[in-house]
Each structure stands twice: as structure tokens, then as C-alpha cells.
Amino acid sequence: GQQVMQIPQYQHVQEGEDFTTYCNSSTTLSNIQWYKQRPGGHPVFLIQLVKSGEVKKQKRLTFQFGEAKKNSSLHITATQTTDVGTYFCAGARSNDYKLSFGAGTTVTVRA
Amino acid sequence: SAVISQKPSRDICQRGTSLTIQCQVDSQVTMMFWYRQQPGQSLTLIATANQGSEATYESGFVIDKFPISRPNLTFSTLTVSNMSPEDSSIYLCSVEGAGHGNYGYTFGSGTRLTVV
């Protein structure tokens, strides 16, 4: 079964507001990756986090990896219409190249 | 990062028939991955294809239903056999190497399959 849980499933955001999506794993991860899938498109790699407590930023997106390497979050500030899509986290366990994808958070933006 | 050409982009097929999906990568890669994404759902790994050996299938997927070929390091095919409406889904291939340092995964554009 799915090893990575992701919430919320849907996020309806007013343009300009912030939001966060969360991922939790039942096991310790060697790394966690984030992907964005636009409506009708395919997943596109955003970032990979490897170190315990790691924080990375990409413009308005802030990614965090928990100290125990079991959880992660993506925070988007000042949401824009270009942020519309589904954001997936995907975790990999040590010595296992396979990714386990979260259920995704589908974001819609109200102008 | 790798560039993947996947085709067909979409197809409508009759139940009981088979469809073969192709993925061509612009560089040599050891492993290629095949995923299924049902409408509004997450990605589920079907199998991992290594060149020169049989594909490794995940629980719930079998070779008779989803035969895979991997004739060289840049190409793979996935066949969806004896299709039923439950096979209607998006099928995606993927390889490592989406970002700097060769980490992350690149996905093909997907094949949207509808079985009627």
C-alpha cells in the first residue's frame, strides 16, 4: 500500500494568499522529491531534499524536510494563477530506487 | 536533464485488444519506469525495465497483462493486453535525471488510454 500520505487533497486558495501541503511517511526516507502536474500535463520535477531538517526555496516555494526524515512540506506564498495544478511528494527509502508517491494536493486559485 | 518522447499521446481502444506504448529517451539510462495514473489519482509504479533482463513488476501487475520490452538503453515499450474499461488510465514512462546532479525523475508526456 501507499507509504506516503499527503494532505490536504484539495486546496482552494484566493490569489495572493499562502498555503501549505504536507507529506508524512510511515518509514524513514533517504530523500523526498516534489513534483508539479499541471492540468492535462505530466509530473515535472521541482526539487529533492536529502538532509534532515533541510530547507530549500524556489522563488515563492519553500520546501522542508523533517528532522526525522519522515515528513515534508511545501509552502507557497502569494499564490498566483500559475500555481494551479497538483503537487505530489514522492519518497524513497534507503537502498531502494523506487519512489512512493503521495496522493497529491490539487490547487485551484480564485482570482 | 533527459528528454523523453512518448507515444501515442492518446488512444481510444476496443475492449479485448492490445495497445503498445513507446518511450524514447535522448540519452542512455539504466532503468526506465512505467507508471499508471488513474483519473484524479496518484501515480502507481507498474514495473521497472532494465536493459538485458526481464522487467520487475510491482504487486498487482503481471507480465502477461503488461509485457515490457527494453531492447536497448534508450528505448522501452509497455503493452496493455486484452484491455478492459478498467485499464482506462494515463500511462507514463520515467527515467532518472531531471535535475542537476542527475537526481529527480523525468516523465514522458503520458499516454491517455480510453477503453470502450
Side-chain angles (χ1 to χ4, degrees), chain A:
Chain A
Q2 200 167 66
Q3 301 162 341
V4 176
M5 306 301 293
Q6 186 174 357
I7 57 169
Q9 185 175 2
Y10 299 99
Q11 186 79 55
H12 308 288
V13 188
Q14 180 72 40
E15 190 173 17
E17 290 184 342
D18 303 351
F19 75 89
T20 304
T21 173
Y22 301 89
C23 277
N24 284 287
S25 169
S26 55
T27 58
T28 301
L29 301 171
S30 65
N31 69 78
I32 194 155
Q33 302 174 20
W34 286 88
Y35 293 81
K36 178 182 179 181
Q37 184 173 26
R38 295 182 184 276
H42 58 277
V44 175
F45 174 74
L46 294 177
I47 208 160
Q48 177 175 284
L49 304 171
V50 178
K51 299 176 183 176
S52 170
E54 188 169 16
V55 178
K56 288 187 176 180
K57 291 189 175 185
Q58 289 182 349
K59 297 183 180 178
R60 296 177 294 103
L61 278 62
T62 300
F63 304 84
Q64 291 188 316
F65 202 8
E67 294 290 341
K69 300 183 72 173
K70 287 187 175 182
N71 57 75
S72 181
S73 64
L74 161 58
H75 181 78
I76 299 183
T77 58
T79 304
Q80 300 177 358
T81 55
T82 53
D83 296 324
V84 164
T86 301
Y87 294 83
F88 292 99
C89 60
R93 293 180 296 179
S94 297
N95 302 318
D96 189 350
Y97 55 81
K98 292 183 291 187
L99 291 180
S100 179
F101 279 81
T105 295
T106 298
V107 177
T108 54
V109 179
R110 300 188 301 273

Side-chain angles (χ1 to χ4, degrees), chain B residues 19-85:
Chain B
L19 175 71
T20 296
I21 302 166
Q22 301 179 4
C23 274
Q24 178 76 51
V25 190
D26 68 343
S27 58
Q28 293 184 340
V29 293
T30 304
M31 291 186 289
M32 293 181 71
F33 305 91
W34 288 97
Y35 286 87
R36 181 172 73 184
Q37 185 177 29
Q38 294 179 311
Q41 302 296 314
S42 187
L43 286 81
T44 301
L45 181 65
I46 297 172
T48 302
N50 291 309
Q51 194 269 333
S53 63
E54 281 198 4
T56 303
Y57 289 82
E58 297 301 304
S59 175
F61 299 96
V62 295
I63 187 171
D64 290 346
K65 177 66 175 178
F66 297 101
I68 287 171
S69 77
R70 185 80 202 276
N72 57 54
L73 292 173
T74 63
F75 187 78
S76 180
T77 68
L78 170 76
T79 299
V80 187
S81 303
N82 188 23
M83 289 183 283
S84 67

